[in-house]
C-alpha cells in the first residue's frame, strides 16, 4: 500500500479515546453552528443579502444583472445552511468537511481584503441579526479555517446522528427548508425582522420643536439641510438640490445636518435612530405632517425607482382607487433623482402624492421594490412586497374594505415550516438509532440466556 502522510497522521491519533471524539464533536458542532446561523440569517432576509452582495460587487467594479445576483444569493444561503446542518447532524462527514474548507478558502482572503481596504461598512456575515466589525469577521474566519482543517482530517472518526442510508433524505429536507424561508422572504417579507422598524412599533418618533421647525404651520423644517454620505472612509456633503449618490455604488447615508447652525437638528441620524424621514419636492421635511400618528395610512415604497417596471402602473393605480374608496390615505415614498421621479409621473400618471426618502431607510423599513407598509394610529401593522399581492385589481370584492386583509402571519408560517423540518430530522435520527437499540437489547438477551443455561461447576 502506498505511503500517505494523511493516513499516517490520522493513524497515530488515539481515535478510540473519548476525549478525542468529544473534541471532534465540539469542533464539528461549533463550525456547523456558525454555518447554520450565517446561512439562516441570510436566507431569512434574502433582500438584505442581495443588497450586501451588490455592494461587494460594486466595490470590486463588477456590474451583474439583478437575476444573476438573485441566483447567487439563494445559492449562498442554501450552501451555507446545508453545510452547517450536515456538520451538526454528522451527515456526509467527508464531503461536508471539504465543502466547508472550500468555502473558508474563499472567504478568508476575501474578509482579509475587506478588513484592510474597508470597502463596505460591515461584512453582512450574519445579516442584520448580528453585526460585527470587518476585523472581527476576519479573525472569526481564521478560527473557522483551523476548525475546518481539523474536520477534514478527523471528521470521519466521529460518529453520525443520521445513518448514511438516510442522509440523503436529511439533505433534501434541509434544502427544502432553507429554500422555503428564502422564497417567502423574497416574495413577501422576512419571516424574522431584525431591522429597526418592527411590526407593532412606531414608524416615527416625535421631533423636538427645534427639529420640527417652530412656527411652521405644516410641521416642515424652516431651514436648509445637507446630507452626509460616506464612501471609502471619507464623508461627503450634498445639498438638497444635488443628486444624491447611489447606495449600490458604495455610498452609505450617515446623517442629515442643518445648514442654519442649529446643532439640535444635526442629531437626526438614520443609522442611530429609527426615525423615518420624508421630504417633498422642495427638500422640506414633511414627516410629521404626512405621517402623523393617527388614522390609516398606506405607504408605497420604492427604494430604487429607476428599476421599477412600468407594468406595475395599473396595479398601483388600482390600489390607490381602493384606498380612496375605503378612506385610507396612500402616499408614495421613493428614492431616486428628480429626473426619475418626473419620468415616473409621465409614464404612470399617479394620483397619489410622491415624496422622497433615503434609499437606506426605505430598505431598512421594508423589503421589495415596490413594497407596501400599512400604518394604523402610528403603529406599523404589516409589511409586504407588491409582488406578494396576487391581483391586478384591488377593487375586486375578495380584498374587502380593511387593509388588515392583506397581511400574513409571519410567526405562524415560520413555526409551521420549522416544525415540519424538525419533525422530519427527528424521525431520521430515531430511525438511525433504532437498529442500534434493538441490537443491544438482543445482545443483552443473548448474554442473559447463555448465563442461565450454563452448567454449574462441580
Amino acid at each position: 500500500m502506498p505511503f500517505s502522510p494523511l493516513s499516517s497522521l490520522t493513524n497515530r491519533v488515539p481515535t478510540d479515546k473519548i476525549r478525542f471524539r468529544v473534541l471532534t464533536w465540539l469542533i464539528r458542532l461549533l463550525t456547523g453552528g456558525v454555518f447554520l446561523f450565517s446561512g439562516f440569517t441570510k436566507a431569512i432576509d434574502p433582500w438584505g443579502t442581495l443588497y450586501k452582495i451588490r455592494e461587494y460587487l460594486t466595490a470590486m467594479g463588477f456590474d451583474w444583472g439583478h437575476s444573476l445576483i438573485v441566483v447567487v444569493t439563494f445559492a449562498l444561503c442554501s450552501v451555507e445552511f446545508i453545510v452547517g446542518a450536515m456538520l451538526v447532524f454528522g451527515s456526509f462527514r467527508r464531503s461536508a468537511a471539504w465543502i466547508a474548507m472550500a468555502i473558508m478558502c474563499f472567504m478568508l482572503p476575501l474578509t482579509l481584503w475587506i478588513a484592510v481596504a474597508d470597502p463596505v461598512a460591515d461584512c453582512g456575515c450574519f445579516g442584520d441579526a448580528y453585526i460585527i466589525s470587518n476585523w472581527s469577521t476576519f479573525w472569526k474566519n481564521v478560527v473557522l479555517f483551523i476548525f475546518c482543517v481539523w474536520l477534514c482530517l478527523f471528521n470521519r472518526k466521529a460518529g453520525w446522528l443520521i445513518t448514511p442510508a438516510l442522509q440523503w433524505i436529511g439533505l433534501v429536507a434541509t434544502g427544502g427548508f432553507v429554500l422555503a424561508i428564502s422564497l417567502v422572504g423574497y416574495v413577501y417579507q422576512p419571516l424574522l425582522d431584525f431591522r429597526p422598524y418592527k411590526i407593532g412599533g412606531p414608524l416615527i418618533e416625535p421631533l423636538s420643536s427645534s427639529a420640527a421647525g417652530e412656527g411652521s404651520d405644516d410641521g416642515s423644517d424652516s431651514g436648509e439641510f445637507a446630507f452626509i454620505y460616506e464612501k471609502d472612509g471619507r464623508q461627503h456633503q450634498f445639498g438638497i438640490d444635488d443628486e444624491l449618490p447611489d447606495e449600490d455604488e458604495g455610498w452609505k447615508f450617515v446623517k442629515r445636518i442643518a445648514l442654519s447652525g442649529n446643532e439640535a437638528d444635526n442629531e437626526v441620524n438614520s443609522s442611530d435612530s429609527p426615525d423615518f424621514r420624508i421630504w417633498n419636492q422642495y427638500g422640506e421635511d414633511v414627516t410629521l405632517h404626512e405621517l402623523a400618528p393617527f388614522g390609516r395610512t398606506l405607504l408605497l415604497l420604492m427604494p430604487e425607482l429607476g428599476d421599477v417596471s412600468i407594468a406595475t402602473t395599473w396595479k398601483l393605480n388600482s390600489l390607490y382607487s381602493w384606498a380612496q374608496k375605503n378612506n385610507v390615505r396612500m402616499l408614495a415614498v421613493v428614492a431616486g433623482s428628480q429626473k426619475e421621479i418626473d419620468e415616473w409621473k409621465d409614464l404612470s400618471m399617479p394620483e397619489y402624492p410622491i415624496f422622497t426618502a433615503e434609499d437606506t431607510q426605505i430598505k431598512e423599513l421594508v423589503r421589495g421594490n415596490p413594497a407596501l407598509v400599512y400604518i394604523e394610529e402610528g403603529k406599523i401593522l404589516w409589511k409586504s412586497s407588491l409582488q406578494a399581492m396576487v391581483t391586478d385589481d384591488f377593487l375586486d370584492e375578495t380584498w374587502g374594505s380593511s387593509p388588515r386583509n392583506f397581511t400574513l402571519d409571519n410567526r405562524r408560517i415560520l413555526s409551521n415550516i420549522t416544525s415540519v423540518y424538525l419533525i422530519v430530522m427527528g424521525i431520521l435520527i430515531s430511525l438511525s438509532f433504532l437498529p442500534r437499540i434493538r441490537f443491544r437489547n438482543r445482545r443483552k438477551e443473548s448474554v442473559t440466556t447463555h448465563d442461565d443455561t450454563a452448567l454449574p461447576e462441580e
Side-chain angles (χ1 to χ4, degrees), residues 277-330:
R277 291 287 171 265
I278 65 174
W279 294 274
N280 61 18
Q281 59 179 330
Y282 306 108
E284 299 171 332
D285 188 338
V286 293
T287 306
L288 290 182
H289 182 263
E290 298 296 337
L291 301 180
F294 58 83
R296 303 188 300 173
T297 303
L298 188 62
L299 295 182
L300 168 63
L301 298 120
M302 293 180 273
E304 297 172 344
L305 182 59
D307 294 337
V308 178
S309 172
I310 196 63
T312 62
T313 297
W314 169 260
K315 192 171 185 176
L316 294 177
N317 292 338
S318 170
L319 178 60
Y320 181 71
S321 298
W322 174 91
Q324 291 290 96
K325 178 181 178 181
N326 294 282
N327 195 28
V328 177
R329 293 183 64 247
M330 176 176 164

Side-chain angles (χ1 to χ4, degrees), residues 204-394:
I204 61 172
E205 299 290 346
L207 289 175
S208 62
S209 59
S210 59
E214 294 182 356
S216 177
D217 295 334
D218 59 357
S220 62
D221 293 308
S222 57
E224 294 186 359
F225 294 88
F227 308 98
I228 305 299
Y229 280 79
E230 183 176 346
K231 182 179 182 180
D232 299 332
R234 297 183 178 181
Q235 294 187 353
H236 301 267
Q237 179 174 309
F238 297 86
I240 59 175
D241 296 327
D242 298 332
E243 183 174 346
L244 299 181
D246 191 349
E247 185 188 40
D248 294 336
E249 297 178 357
W251 292 95
K252 181 177 177 60
F253 174 68
V254 178
K255 62 183 177 180
R256 183 190 65 156
I257 62 174
L259 299 180
S260 60
N262 188 342
E263 296 184 359
D265 291 333
N266 298 342
E267 299 301 323
V268 180
N269 190 319
S270 68
S271 60
D272 299 331
S273 171
D275 277 348
F276 193 75
R277 291 287 171 265
I278 65 174
W279 294 274
N280 61 18
Q281 59 179 330
Y282 306 108
E284 299 171 332
D285 188 338
V286 293
T287 306
L288 290 182
H289 182 263
E290 298 296 337
L291 301 180
F294 58 83
R296 303 188 300 173
T297 303
L298 188 62
L299 295 182
L300 168 63
L301 298 120
M302 293 180 273
E304 297 172 344
L305 182 59
D307 294 337
V308 178
S309 172
I310 196 63
T312 62
T313 297
W314 169 260
K315 192 171 185 176
L316 294 177
N317 292 338
S318 170
L319 178 60
Y320 181 71
S321 298
W322 174 91
Q324 291 290 96
K325 178 181 178 181
N326 294 282
N327 195 28
V328 177
R329 293 183 64 247
M330 176 176 164
L331 54 95
V333 179
V334 306
S337 64
Q338 189 59 47
K339 179 182 178 181
E340 290 175 330
I341 296 175
D342 292 338
E343 290 178 352
W344 175 259
K345 289 181 178 179
D346 291 338
L347 293 173
S348 64
M349 294 182 290
E351 297 182 15
Y352 47 82
I354 299 178
F355 302 92
T356 59
E358 301 300 330
D359 58 344
T360 304
Q361 283 197 327
I362 296 177
K363 292 174 181 178
E364 286 180 345
L365 171 60
V366 67
R367 299 306 196 194
N369 187 42
L372 300 168
V373 173
Y374 175 62
I375 306 169
E376 193 170 291
E377 302 301 331
K379 291 185 178 181
I380 300 173
L381 290 194
W382 56 258
K383 307 176 184 180
S384 176
S385 66
L386 184 67
Q387 183 181 2
M389 303 294 185
V390 288
T391 183
D392 288 329
D393 186 6
F394 284 92

Side-chain angles (χ1 to χ4, degrees), residues 395-416:
L395 296 179
D396 190 300
E397 295 181 357
T398 57
W399 289 98
S401 60
S402 174
R404 294 174 182 262
N405 297 333
F406 295 176
T407 186
L408 297 177
D409 190 345
N410 283 12
R411 293 184 179 180
R412 181 180 58 82
I413 296 174
L414 180 60
S415 176
N416 291 343

